[in-house]
Amino acid sequence: MDSTHAEILAYTATQSSDARRFPTVPPPLWIVFLREGGDQARLWGVVENRGEISRNEVVRTFDIVETDHMHELRGRLVLGWRSPRTWRMKATTASSYPVAGIADAEPIPFPGFDRLILDHAQLKAVMREPRYASWRTALSSVLGVYLITDTRDGRHYIGKADGEESIRQRWHAYATNGHGGNIELKRLDPSSFRFSLLRVFDPATPTREINAAESHFKSALDSVRYGLNRN
């Protein structure tokens, strides 16, 4: 399933025996496991059923999208799978399946400050998952000026981390609530935000120098007149 696009789930229920197998209203959340060798299955992710799109005498079609639920366990959580031929089961049944293990998260190398581009889902993962530990260390070591782009319309927000607040601390606020306390951003859906760094500074850099850099980028990108900065 492509994680960047809505996917379609189709049910076929042409016979009465098949009709009994499928719920009239499918559950809103589906936890997806992929079977691997032997009697085990590994967590692929969690998807949300946003409702029926269409139906005919043969096929019912639903809008299915990937969610962030259990994100930190994707590809790591392994269950004992006693019914390899069962494609779906209720939670009451699945809850009896034993946890075979939770694999260590594979560390992901930090790409560098000038190559860092994250959407909101990725930002949340960076702030909480063990495999991004080196990223958090790097972001904790610098102050700087950053860019948030609303990919729906291309508008920019220019922000800064200065004084005792590192880029990691500032971005952690965006990962937590989506807006970091910024009034214009509170009105928007953070799922369309893209985060990047414009310039980084040593923690000993005077605040006035960081302020000057922030003002420069606001002017260069015209983010007050045409973007999301209020001043």
Side-chain angles (χ1 to χ4, degrees), residues 7-72:
E7 295 293 329
I8 301 303
L9 175 65
Y11 288 98
T12 302
T14 56
Q15 301 178 3
S16 59
S17 60
D18 287 331
R20 287 193 296 269
R21 291 174 54 201
F22 303 111
T24 303
V25 181
L29 293 176
W30 294 73
I31 302 176
V32 182
F33 284 84
L34 300 179
R35 187 189 175 197
E36 48 187 33
D39 57 353
Q40 295 184 341
R42 188 177 297 268
L43 177 65
W44 176 87
V46 181
V47 296
E48 177 185 0
N49 169 23
R50 293 188 173 177
E52 189 170 359
I53 297 175
S54 63
R55 73 162 69 191
N56 55 39
E57 294 181 355
V58 178
V59 176
R60 296 174 64 193
T61 305
F62 297 82
D63 181 15
I64 302 297
V65 296
E66 187 178 354
T67 75
D68 288 331
H69 295 297
M70 302 177 69
H71 189 277
E72 66 278 4

Side-chain angles (χ1 to χ4, degrees), residues 108-119:
I108 298 178
F110 182 64
F113 298 117
D114 58 346
R115 296 183 179 181
L116 190 61
I117 300 177
L118 303 170
D119 62 29

Side-chain angles (χ1 to χ4, degrees), residues 57-181:
E57 294 181 355
V58 178
V59 176
R60 296 174 64 193
T61 305
F62 297 82
D63 181 15
I64 302 297
V65 296
E66 187 178 354
T67 75
D68 288 331
H69 295 297
M70 302 177 69
H71 189 277
E72 66 278 4
L73 292 176
R74 290 181 185 178
R76 300 175 58 210
L77 175 61
V78 179
L79 296 184
W81 201 260
R82 296 193 296 268
S83 302
R85 300 181 65 180
T86 300
W87 75 270
R88 61 170 290 268
M89 67 182 67
K90 294 182 179 179
T92 51
T93 300
S95 65
S96 66
Y97 280 29
V99 174
I102 299 178
D104 290 336
E106 187 69 24
I108 298 178
F110 182 64
F113 298 117
D114 58 346
R115 296 183 179 181
L116 190 61
I117 300 177
L118 303 170
D119 62 29
H120 192 246
Q122 292 171 325
L123 179 64
K124 290 192 290 185
V126 166
M127 292 299 158
R128 70 188 182 197
E129 294 186 12
R131 57 182 176 158
Y132 290 107
S134 66
W135 297 44
R136 292 192 292 274
T137 298
L139 295 174
S140 296
S141 69
V142 294
L143 311 179
V145 180
Y146 57 85
L147 172 69
I148 301 176
T149 302
D150 187 344
T151 58
R152 291 172 301 182
D153 55 22
R155 289 188 296 169
H156 297 309
Y157 177 87
I158 309 296
K160 65 178 178 179
D162 57 9
E164 296 182 357
E165 186 177 47
S166 67
I167 290 291
R168 175 186 174 179
Q169 290 170 303
R170 191 72 193 99
W171 280 12
H172 185 273
Y174 293 109
T176 301
N177 58 31
H179 54 73

